[in-house]
Amino acid sequence: MTQLVVENLRKQFATRAGPLTVLDGVDLSLPSGESVAILGPSGSGKSTLLHIVGTLDTPTAGTVRLGDTDPFALGEKGMAEFRNRSIGFVFQEHYLLPELSVLENVLIPVLATQTIAAEQRDWAMELIERVGLADRADHRPGELSGGERGRVAIARSLVCKPMLLLADEPTGNLDPRTAASVMELLLKLQTQTGTMLIVVTHSEAVASLLDRRMYLEEGRLVEDRQTAVDG
Ligand code: ADP
Ligand code: MG
């Protein structure tokens, strides 16, 4: 069943030189549980697309449907609640709060909308175990390596059991070997939880690990020819 449908998405930014068209008719459908890599040169609009699909920015035109919901029809408060409940994010910079422990960082998305029940604390601890940091739950981010911080960000992104997981260059700051192990972990957890996954990357090696690869070219998404031929 198709769970994410993006249709004819357009995004223009107003700049001093006039309107800048970044997305010019993006279409994307994702069945539940599927992963897709979005490749494209710097400045091609990958982050812009991910932000709009994640409801962190609004489209100039076009539609996004996640499950039965058009998030942009919900109003600001409804959209924020929907985002918190349904969408997980992993960013290159991770944005961990330095004064909080690993466990507290993982629980931040829960705290945004509700008080933490034992059940959520247990799930957060389970995720921390699954990313291999059980003995680090009390540590601060400053005491962890870059790869370990990436793993905390992955655990945090899944704490609300999102329908859709969005990752923007999640391994961009890591050496190739650490990047590969963080990506493997991300994909393992994605498979276990059944969430849809979109990974923006400029790494063909990272992209090759996902179910599908698409390229952002001149404001549109095109299927990787190799993928199309191979089915
Ligand atoms: P990518 O992630 O593929 O490197 P981005 O989505 O960050 O690309 O940016 C695509 C283009 O949109 C770039 O030319 C960038 O300068 C422009 N852009 C992004 N955000 C804004 C903004 N808020 N205002 C104006 N231009 C923007
Ligand atoms: Mg970007």
Side-chain angles (χ1 to χ4, degrees), residues 72-122:
F72 299 111
L74 293 175
E76 207 152 309
K77 189 157 175 277
M79 194 163 77
E81 280 166 14
F82 176 78
R83 179 191 313 131
N84 201 264
R85 193 171 60 241
S86 310
I87 307 173
F89 296 91
V90 184
F91 297 103
Q92 181 172 352
E93 293 82 9
H94 304 324
Y95 301 118
L96 301 178
L97 296 181
E99 69 278 17
L100 298 185
S101 71
V102 165
L103 176 61
E104 288 161 346
N105 266 288
V106 170
L107 282 165
I108 285 174
V110 180
L111 260 183
T113 51
Q114 54 194 305
T115 51
I116 294 163
E119 191 189 330
Q120 276 131 353
R121 208 187 152 83
D122 290 349

Side-chain angles (χ1 to χ4, degrees), residues 13-15 20 22 40-49 57 168-169 200 216:
F13 291 111
T15 71
L20 173 71
V22 175
S42 179
S44 58
K46 303 183 298 299
S47 294
T48 301
L49 174 59
D57 198 356
D168 195 350
E169 309 268 8
V200 159
L216 198 50

Side-chain angles (χ1 to χ4, degrees), residues 59-60 67 70 141 157 159 193 230:
T60 307
D70 169 2
S157 73
V159 77
T193 57
D230 292 347

Side-chain angles (χ1 to χ4, degrees), residues 22 24 39-41 44 215-223 225:
V22 175
D24 194 16
L39 290 139
S44 58
Y215 289 80
L216 198 50
E217 277 177 13
E218 294 169 358
R220 291 168 189 223
L221 270 184
V222 295
E223 196 93 18
R225 278 181 218 93

Side-chain angles (χ1 to χ4, degrees), residues 3-230:
Q3 291 279 34
L4 172 69
V5 182
V6 174
E7 275 178 334
N8 205 14
L9 204 68
R10 289 166 198 278
K11 181 66 178 178
Q12 280 188 342
F13 291 111
T15 71
R16 262 170 301 172
L20 173 71
T21 301
V22 175
L23 303 178
D24 194 16
V26 168
D27 295 311
L28 173 66
S29 303
L30 212 56
S32 62
E34 199 167 289
S35 63
V36 60
I38 295 181
L39 290 139
S42 179
S44 58
K46 303 183 298 299
S47 294
T48 301
L49 174 59
L50 215 64
H51 287 159
I52 294 173
V53 172
T55 76
L56 296 170
D57 198 356
T58 51
T60 307
T63 56
V64 173
R65 187 168 55 73
L66 186 54
D68 297 328
T69 305
D70 169 2
F72 299 111
L74 293 175
E76 207 152 309
K77 189 157 175 277
M79 194 163 77
E81 280 166 14
F82 176 78
R83 179 191 313 131
N84 201 264
R85 193 171 60 241
S86 310
I87 307 173
F89 296 91
V90 184
F91 297 103
Q92 181 172 352
E93 293 82 9
H94 304 324
Y95 301 118
L96 301 178
L97 296 181
E99 69 278 17
L100 298 185
S101 71
V102 165
L103 176 61
E104 288 161 346
N105 266 288
V106 170
L107 282 165
I108 285 174
V110 180
L111 260 183
T113 51
Q114 54 194 305
T115 51
I116 294 163
E119 191 189 330
Q120 276 131 353
R121 208 187 152 83
D122 290 349
W123 172 234
M125 263 318 292
E126 188 180 328
L127 285 169
I128 291 167
E129 266 173 51
R130 289 202 208 171
V131 300
L133 294 172
D135 53 347
R136 302 297 202 99
D138 297 332
H139 288 218
R140 302 284 178 275
E143 300 168 309
L144 305 176
S145 70
E148 286 165 345
R149 286 199 286 271
R151 291 193 264 153
V152 176
I154 290 170
R156 182 188 54 190
S157 73
L158 288 165
V159 77
C160 288
K161 304 189 177 173
M163 244 168 101
L164 174 64
L165 192 55
L166 302 174
D168 195 350
E169 309 268 8
T171 60
N173 288 332
L174 305 174
D175 64 83
R177 216 167 133 169
T178 310
S181 76
V182 168
M183 268 313 294
E184 274 165 31
L185 189 63
L186 180 62
L187 288 170
K188 192 175 96 186
L189 283 170
Q190 181 242 337
T191 309
Q192 286 173 357
T193 57
T195 180
M196 294 176 282
L197 172 66
I198 302 178
V199 177
V200 159
T201 180
H202 54 244
S203 160
E204 292 278 350
V206 165
S208 69
L209 299 170
L210 299 165
D211 294 331
R212 270 161 74 200
R213 281 154 295 284
M214 300 192 84
Y215 289 80
L216 198 50
E217 277 177 13
E218 294 169 358
R220 291 168 189 223
L221 270 184
V222 295
E223 196 93 18
D224 174 11
R225 278 181 218 93
Q226 201 59 44
T227 315
V229 170
D230 292 347

